[in-house]
Amino acid sequence: MTRFSKGRALAVGGALVGALVAGGPAAYGALAGEDTGRGQAYVETHLYFGTQRSDGGPAVTDPQFMDFMDRRVTPAFPEGLTLQQGRGQWRNAHGVIERERSYELLLLYPAAEAKVRDQRIEAIREAYQREYAQESVGRADDRTRVDF
C-alpha cells in the first residue's frame, strides 16, 4: 500500500495566493477561499493502491490491476475516473519501508451521493486488500466544487 504516491503541496505562501488572485482568472479565487459560485458541490476521493504483497507474493502487475479496475472500479463509477501510475513508499506493519510501483485513483461524485458512494469505495478497498494481500489501501477525501 502506498500512502503518498507523489508529492503534494500542503501549503501555499500568501504572496503566491495574492499574486494568483490579483492577476489570475476567477477560478484562482477559490485558492484563497473566495467562493466563485461556480460548479456543484462534489466529493473528491483519492485511493492509493500499492503493488507489493504483504504475503511476499509477486507484485501486482499492470494487467492484474487493469483487470481489477474493469471488474471492481468501473462498474461502481461508470461516470468516469482518473488513474495515475506512480512510485511510492510506506512503512509496513513490520516497520520496514517499502518502495513500490503504485496507482492513484481519483473519483469525483456529487456530495449528495456521498453515503452511497462511500459504500462502493469501501467495497473496492476491501476487495483489493483481499485479492492482492495488501495491508491497506489509502484513502483521502475532500469537498470541492466541480463544473463539467
Side-chain angles (χ1 to χ4, degrees):
M1 196 310 290
T2 301
R3 293 198 188 255
F4 301 100
S5 64
K6 62 181 180 179
R8 291 192 175 274
L10 297 178
V12 178
L16 177 58
V17 171
L20 290 173
V21 173
Y28 290 122
L31 292 176
E34 178 185 320
D35 184 3
T36 63
R38 293 191 185 150
Q40 302 296 316
Y42 267 63
V43 176
E44 177 180 351
T45 296
H46 295 258
L47 296 180
Y48 302 96
F49 299 88
T51 56
Q52 297 292 79
R53 296 175 191 245
S54 62
D55 64 4
V60 178
T61 65
D62 285 337
Q64 287 172 319
F65 191 82
M66 294 313 296
D67 178 64
F68 179 82
M69 290 288 296
D70 290 343
R71 288 183 296 107
R72 300 287 188 166
V73 180
T74 299
F77 291 89
E79 303 85 2
L81 52 86
T82 299
L83 180 66
Q84 301 180 78
Q85 285 192 3
R87 298 284 311 164
Q89 69 181 45
W90 86 303
R91 187 181 311 269
N92 70 21
H94 303 290
V96 175
I97 294 177
E98 293 183 1
R99 291 176 176 86
E100 60 189 333
R101 196 171 36 79
S102 62
Y103 299 92
E104 178 185 22
L105 175 63
L106 171 61
L107 303 167
L108 292 169
Y109 47 93
E113 298 176 14
K115 188 173 183 177
V116 170
R117 300 299 182 116
D118 178 71
Q119 294 171 355
R120 294 179 192 175
I121 291 166
E122 288 306 302
I124 290 166
R125 293 176 72 203
E126 291 167 10
Y128 192 76
Q129 287 174 251
R130 184 179 56 254
E131 291 180 32
Y132 298 106
Q134 299 292 301
E135 288 182 13
S136 66
V137 171
R139 179 178 177 171
D141 295 294
D142 214 357
R143 292 202 172 267
T144 190
R145 296 190 69 79
V146 174
D147 187 18
F148 293 102

